Every structure is written in C-alpha cells, then in structure tokens.
CSV table of all heavy atoms in Angstrom, one decimal:
chain,number,residue,atom,x,y,z
V,901,ALA,N,-28.0,11.5,20.5
V,901,ALA,CA,-26.8,12.2,20.7
V,901,ALA,C,-26.7,12.7,22.1
V,901,ALA,O,-25.6,12.5,22.8
V,901,ALA,CB,-26.7,13.4,19.8
V,902,ASN,N,-27.7,13.2,22.7
V,902,ASN,CA,-27.7,13.7,24.1
V,902,ASN,C,-27.4,12.5,25.1
V,902,ASN,O,-26.6,12.6,26.0
V,902,ASN,CB,-29.0,14.3,24.5
V,902,ASN,CG,-29.2,15.6,23.6
V,902,ASN,OD1,-28.4,16.1,22.9
V,902,ASN,ND2,-30.5,16.1,23.7
V,903,ASP,N,-28.1,11.4,24.9
V,903,ASP,CA,-27.9,10.3,25.8
V,903,ASP,C,-26.5,9.7,25.6
V,903,ASP,O,-25.9,9.3,26.6
V,903,ASP,CB,-29.0,9.2,25.5
V,903,ASP,CG,-30.4,9.7,25.8
V,903,ASP,OD1,-30.5,10.6,26.6
V,903,ASP,OD2,-31.3,9.1,25.3
V,904,THR,N,-26.0,9.6,24.4
V,904,THR,CA,-24.7,9.1,24.2
V,904,THR,C,-23.6,9.9,24.8
V,904,THR,O,-22.7,9.4,25.5
V,904,THR,CB,-24.4,9.0,22.7
V,904,THR,OG1,-25.4,8.1,22.1
V,904,THR,CG2,-23.0,8.3,22.4
V,905,ILE,N,-23.7,11.2,24.6
V,905,ILE,CA,-22.7,12.1,25.2
V,905,ILE,C,-22.7,12.0,26.8
V,905,ILE,O,-21.7,12.0,27.4
V,905,ILE,CB,-22.9,13.6,24.8
V,905,ILE,CG1,-22.7,13.7,23.3
V,905,ILE,CG2,-22.1,14.6,25.6
V,905,ILE,CD1,-23.0,15.1,22.7
V,906,ALA,N,-23.9,12.0,27.4
V,906,ALA,CA,-24.0,11.9,28.8
V,906,ALA,C,-23.4,10.6,29.3
V,906,ALA,O,-22.7,10.6,30.4
V,906,ALA,CB,-25.5,12.1,29.2
V,907,GLU,N,-23.7,9.5,28.6
V,907,GLU,CA,-23.2,8.2,29.1
V,907,GLU,C,-21.7,8.1,28.9
V,907,GLU,O,-21.0,7.6,29.8
V,907,GLU,CB,-23.9,7.1,28.3
V,907,GLU,CG,-23.4,5.7,28.7
V,907,GLU,CD,-24.1,4.6,27.9
V,907,GLU,OE1,-24.9,5.0,27.0
V,907,GLU,OE2,-23.8,3.4,28.1
V,908,GLU,N,-21.2,8.6,27.8
V,908,GLU,CA,-19.7,8.5,27.6
V,908,GLU,C,-18.9,9.4,28.5
V,908,GLU,O,-17.9,9.0,29.0
V,908,GLU,CB,-19.4,8.9,26.1
V,908,GLU,CG,-19.9,7.9,25.1
V,908,GLU,CD,-19.2,6.6,25.2
V,908,GLU,OE1,-18.0,6.6,25.5
V,908,GLU,OE2,-19.8,5.6,24.8
V,909,ILE,N,-19.4,10.6,28.8
V,909,ILE,CA,-18.6,11.5,29.7
V,909,ILE,C,-18.7,10.9,31.2
V,909,ILE,O,-17.7,11.0,31.9
V,909,ILE,CB,-19.2,12.9,29.7
V,909,ILE,CG1,-18.2,13.9,30.4
V,909,ILE,CG2,-20.6,13.0,30.2
V,909,ILE,CD1,-16.8,14.0,29.8
V,910,ARG,N,-19.8,10.3,31.5
V,910,ARG,CA,-19.9,9.7,32.8
V,910,ARG,C,-18.9,8.5,33.0
V,910,ARG,O,-18.2,8.4,34.0
V,910,ARG,CB,-21.3,9.2,33.0
V,910,ARG,CG,-21.6,8.8,34.5
V,910,ARG,CD,-23.0,8.2,34.6
V,910,ARG,NE,-24.1,9.1,34.1
V,910,ARG,CZ,-24.8,8.9,33.0
V,910,ARG,NH1,-24.6,7.8,32.3
V,910,ARG,NH2,-25.7,9.8,32.6
V,911,ASN,N,-18.8,7.7,32.0
V,911,ASN,CA,-17.8,6.6,32.0
V,911,ASN,C,-16.4,7.1,32.0
V,911,ASN,O,-15.5,6.6,32.7
V,911,ASN,CB,-18.1,5.6,30.8
V,911,ASN,CG,-19.4,5.0,30.9
V,911,ASN,OD1,-20.0,4.8,32.0
V,911,ASN,ND2,-20.0,4.6,29.8
V,912,LEU,N,-16.2,8.2,31.2
V,912,LEU,CA,-14.8,8.7,31.1
V,912,LEU,C,-14.3,9.3,32.4
V,912,LEU,O,-13.2,9.0,32.8
V,912,LEU,CB,-14.8,9.7,29.9
V,912,LEU,CG,-13.4,10.5,29.8
V,912,LEU,CD1,-12.4,9.5,29.3
V,912,LEU,CD2,-13.6,11.6,28.7
V,913,MET,N,-15.1,10.1,33.0
V,913,MET,CA,-14.7,10.8,34.2
V,913,MET,C,-14.5,9.9,35.4
V,913,MET,O,-13.7,10.1,36.3
V,913,MET,CB,-15.7,11.9,34.6
V,913,MET,CG,-15.8,13.0,33.5
V,913,MET,SD,-14.2,13.8,33.0
V,913,MET,CE,-13.8,14.7,34.5
V,914,SER,N,-15.3,8.8,35.4
V,914,SER,CA,-15.1,7.8,36.5
V,914,SER,C,-13.9,6.9,36.3
V,914,SER,O,-13.4,6.3,37.3
V,914,SER,CB,-16.4,6.9,36.5
V,914,SER,OG,-16.5,6.2,35.3
V,915,ASN,N,-13.3,6.9,35.1
V,915,ASN,CA,-12.1,6.0,34.9
V,915,ASN,C,-10.8,6.8,34.8
V,915,ASN,O,-9.7,6.2,34.7
V,915,ASN,CB,-12.3,5.3,33.6
V,915,ASN,CG,-13.4,4.3,33.7
V,915,ASN,OD1,-13.7,3.7,34.7
V,915,ASN,ND2,-14.1,4.0,32.5
V,916,ILE,N,-10.9,8.2,34.8
V,916,ILE,CA,-9.6,9.0,34.7
V,916,ILE,C,-8.9,8.9,36.1
V,916,ILE,O,-9.5,9.1,37.1
V,916,ILE,CB,-10.0,10.4,34.4
V,916,ILE,CG1,-10.5,10.5,32.9
V,916,ILE,CG2,-8.7,11.3,34.5
V,916,ILE,CD1,-10.8,11.9,32.5
V,917,GLU,N,-7.6,8.6,36.0
V,917,GLU,CA,-6.7,8.6,37.2
V,917,GLU,C,-5.6,9.6,36.9
V,917,GLU,O,-4.8,9.4,36.0
V,917,GLU,CB,-6.2,7.2,37.5
V,917,GLU,CG,-7.3,6.2,37.8
V,917,GLU,CD,-6.7,4.8,38.1
V,917,GLU,OE1,-5.5,4.7,38.0
V,917,GLU,OE2,-7.5,3.9,38.4
V,918,VAL,N,-5.5,10.6,37.7
V,918,VAL,CA,-4.4,11.6,37.6
V,918,VAL,C,-3.1,11.0,38.2
V,918,VAL,O,-3.1,10.6,39.3
V,918,VAL,CB,-4.7,12.9,38.3
V,918,VAL,CG1,-3.6,13.9,38.1
V,918,VAL,CG2,-6.0,13.5,37.8
V,919,ARG,N,-2.1,10.9,37.3
V,919,ARG,CA,-0.8,10.3,37.7
V,919,ARG,C,0.3,11.3,37.7
V,919,ARG,O,0.6,11.9,36.7
V,919,ARG,CB,-0.5,9.1,36.7
V,919,ARG,CG,-1.6,8.1,36.6
V,919,ARG,CD,-1.3,7.1,35.5
V,919,ARG,NE,-2.3,6.2,35.3
V,919,ARG,CZ,-2.4,5.3,34.2
V,919,ARG,NH1,-1.5,5.4,33.3
V,919,ARG,NH2,-3.4,4.5,34.1
V,920,GLY,N,0.9,11.4,38.9
V,920,GLY,CA,2.1,12.3,39.0
V,920,GLY,C,1.8,13.7,38.6
V,920,GLY,O,0.8,14.3,39.0
V,921,ASN,N,2.8,14.2,37.8
V,921,ASN,CA,2.7,15.6,37.4
V,921,ASN,C,2.0,15.8,36.0
V,921,ASN,O,2.1,16.9,35.4
V,921,ASN,CB,4.1,16.2,37.3
V,921,ASN,CG,4.7,16.3,38.7
V,921,ASN,OD1,4.0,16.5,39.7
V,921,ASN,ND2,6.0,16.1,38.8
V,922,LEU,N,1.4,14.7,35.4
V,922,LEU,CA,0.8,14.8,34.1
V,922,LEU,C,-0.6,15.4,34.3
V,922,LEU,O,-1.6,14.7,34.3
V,922,LEU,CB,0.8,13.4,33.5
V,922,LEU,CG,2.1,12.7,33.3
V,922,LEU,CD1,1.9,11.3,32.8
V,922,LEU,CD2,3.0,13.5,32.4
V,923,THR,N,-0.6,16.7,34.3
V,923,THR,CA,-1.9,17.4,34.6
V,923,THR,C,-2.3,18.3,33.4
V,923,THR,O,-3.3,18.9,33.5
V,923,THR,CB,-1.8,18.3,35.8
V,923,THR,OG1,-0.7,19.2,35.7
V,923,THR,CG2,-1.5,17.4,37.1
V,924,ASP,N,-1.4,18.4,32.4
V,924,ASP,CA,-1.8,19.3,31.2
V,924,ASP,C,-2.8,18.6,30.3
V,924,ASP,O,-2.7,17.3,30.1
V,924,ASP,CB,-0.5,19.6,30.4
V,924,ASP,CG,0.5,20.5,31.2
V,924,ASP,OD1,0.0,21.2,32.1
V,924,ASP,OD2,1.7,20.3,31.0
V,925,THR,N,-3.7,19.3,29.8
V,925,THR,CA,-4.6,18.8,28.8
V,925,THR,C,-4.0,18.5,27.5
V,925,THR,O,-3.3,19.4,26.9
V,925,THR,CB,-5.8,19.8,28.6
V,925,THR,OG1,-6.4,20.0,29.9
V,925,THR,CG2,-6.8,19.2,27.7
V,926,LEU,N,-4.1,17.3,27.0
V,926,LEU,CA,-3.5,16.9,25.7
V,926,LEU,C,-4.3,17.4,24.5
V,926,LEU,O,-4.9,16.6,23.8
V,926,LEU,CB,-3.2,15.4,25.7
V,926,LEU,CG,-2.4,14.9,26.8
V,926,LEU,CD1,-2.2,13.4,26.7
V,926,LEU,CD2,-1.0,15.5,26.9
V,927,LEU,N,-4.4,18.7,24.4
V,927,LEU,CA,-5.3,19.3,23.4
V,927,LEU,C,-4.8,19.1,22.0
V,927,LEU,O,-5.6,18.9,21.0
V,927,LEU,CB,-5.5,20.8,23.7
V,927,LEU,CG,-6.8,21.4,23.1
V,927,LEU,CD1,-8.0,20.7,23.6
V,927,LEU,CD2,-6.8,22.9,23.6
V,928,ALA,N,-3.5,19.1,21.8
V,928,ALA,CA,-3.0,19.0,20.4
V,928,ALA,C,-3.3,17.6,19.9
V,928,ALA,O,-3.7,17.4,18.7
V,928,ALA,CB,-1.5,19.2,20.4
V,929,GLY,N,-3.3,16.6,20.7
V,929,GLY,CA,-3.6,15.2,20.3
V,929,GLY,C,-5.1,15.1,19.9
V,929,GLY,O,-5.5,14.4,19.0
V,930,SER,N,-5.9,15.8,20.7
V,930,SER,CA,-7.4,15.8,20.4
V,930,SER,C,-7.7,16.5,19.0
V,930,SER,O,-8.5,16.0,18.3
V,930,SER,CB,-8.1,16.5,21.5
V,930,SER,OG,-7.9,15.9,22.7
V,931,LEU,N,-6.9,17.6,18.7
V,931,LEU,CA,-7.1,18.2,17.5
V,931,LEU,C,-6.7,17.3,16.3
V,931,LEU,O,-7.3,17.3,15.3
V,931,LEU,CB,-6.3,19.5,17.4
V,931,LEU,CG,-6.9,20.7,18.3
V,931,LEU,CD1,-5.9,21.8,18.4
V,931,LEU,CD2,-8.2,21.1,17.8
V,932,ALA,N,-5.6,16.6,16.5
V,932,ALA,CA,-5.1,15.6,15.5
V,932,ALA,C,-6.2,14.5,15.3
V,932,ALA,O,-6.4,14.1,14.2
V,932,ALA,CB,-3.8,15.0,15.9
V,933,LYS,N,-6.8,14.1,16.4
V,933,LYS,CA,-7.8,13.1,16.2
V,933,LYS,C,-9.0,13.6,15.5
V,933,LYS,O,-9.7,12.9,14.7
V,933,LYS,CB,-8.3,12.6,17.6
V,933,LYS,CG,-9.4,11.5,17.6
V,933,LYS,CD,-9.6,10.9,19.0
V,933,LYS,CE,-8.5,10.0,19.4
V,933,LYS,NZ,-8.9,9.3,20.6
V,934,ALA,N,-9.4,14.9,15.7
V,934,ALA,CA,-10.4,15.5,15.0
V,934,ALA,C,-10.1,15.6,13.5
V,934,ALA,O,-11.0,15.4,12.6
V,934,ALA,CB,-10.7,16.9,15.5
V,935,LEU,N,-8.9,15.9,13.1
V,935,LEU,CA,-8.5,16.0,11.7
V,935,LEU,C,-8.6,14.6,11.1
V,935,LEU,O,-9.0,14.4,9.9
V,935,LEU,CB,-7.1,16.5,11.6
V,935,LEU,CG,-6.9,18.0,11.9
V,935,LEU,CD1,-5.4,18.4,11.7
V,935,LEU,CD2,-7.8,18.9,11.0
V,936,CYS,N,-8.2,13.6,11.8
V,936,CYS,CA,-8.3,12.2,11.3
V,936,CYS,C,-9.7,11.8,11.1
V,936,CYS,O,-10.1,11.1,10.1
V,936,CYS,CB,-7.6,11.2,12.3
V,936,CYS,SG,-5.8,11.4,12.4
V,937,TYR,N,-10.6,12.2,12.0
V,937,TYR,CA,-12.0,11.9,11.8
V,937,TYR,C,-12.6,12.6,10.6
V,937,TYR,O,-13.4,12.0,9.8
V,937,TYR,CB,-12.8,12.3,13.1
V,937,TYR,CG,-14.3,12.0,13.0
V,937,TYR,CD1,-14.8,10.7,13.1
V,937,TYR,CD2,-15.2,13.0,12.7
V,937,TYR,CE1,-16.2,10.5,13.0
V,937,TYR,CE2,-16.6,12.8,12.6
V,937,TYR,CZ,-17.0,11.5,12.8
V,937,TYR,OH,-18.4,11.3,12.7
V,938,ILE,N,-12.2,13.9,10.4
V,938,ILE,CA,-12.7,14.6,9.3
V,938,ILE,C,-12.2,14.0,8.0
V,938,ILE,O,-13.0,13.8,7.0
V,938,ILE,CB,-12.2,16.1,9.3
V,938,ILE,CG1,-12.9,16.8,10.5
V,938,ILE,CG2,-12.5,16.8,8.0
V,938,ILE,CD1,-12.4,18.2,10.8
V,939,ASN,N,-11.0,13.5,8.0
V,939,ASN,CA,-10.5,12.8,6.8
V,939,ASN,C,-11.2,11.5,6.5
V,939,ASN,O,-11.5,11.2,5.3
V,939,ASN,CB,-9.0,12.6,7.0
V,939,ASN,CG,-8.3,12.0,5.7
V,939,ASN,OD1,-8.3,12.6,4.7
V,939,ASN,ND2,-7.8,10.8,5.9
V,940,ARG,N,-11.6,10.8,7.5
V,940,ARG,CA,-12.3,9.5,7.3
V,940,ARG,C,-13.7,9.8,6.8
V,940,ARG,O,-14.2,9.1,5.9
V,940,ARG,CB,-12.4,8.8,8.7
V,940,ARG,CG,-12.9,7.4,8.5
V,940,ARG,CD,-13.1,6.7,9.8
V,940,ARG,NE,-14.4,7.1,10.4
V,940,ARG,CZ,-14.8,6.7,11.6
V,940,ARG,NH1,-14.1,5.9,12.4
V,940,ARG,NH2,-16.0,7.1,12.1
C-alpha cells in the first residue's frame, strides 16, 4: 500500500497541468467516486 500510494502520487503530480482559471479542487466528484467504490 505504501509503495503504491507513493508511486501513484508521483505519477499524478508530474502529469497535472493547470489550465486557465480552473484552480478549484473537484472534491464533490471525488466524494461521488468514493461512493461508487463503496457500492462496488
């Protein structure tokens, strides 16, 4: 779990590109994804 989290966050942060004014965290969508995972 530790190695997976470290590798995934490293890949994620290196690929994020901030575009224009889209700077808000899409937290509601992440909560919806969490509910879908719980349901699965």
Side-chain angles (χ1 to χ4, degrees):
N902 297 349
D903 295 340
T904 302
I905 293 174
E907 181 181 358
E908 290 294 329
I909 192 63
R910 191 183 305 112
N911 297 334
L912 175 65
M913 299 305 291
S914 61
N915 295 326
I916 291 181
E917 296 180 0
V918 180
R919 303 170 184 171
N921 297 325
L922 301 177
T923 59
D924 295 329
T925 303
L926 303 179
L927 200 56
S930 301
L931 289 172
K933 180 173 286 189
L935 291 179
C936 293
Y937 178 76
I938 291 173
N939 185 61
R940 193 186 78 181

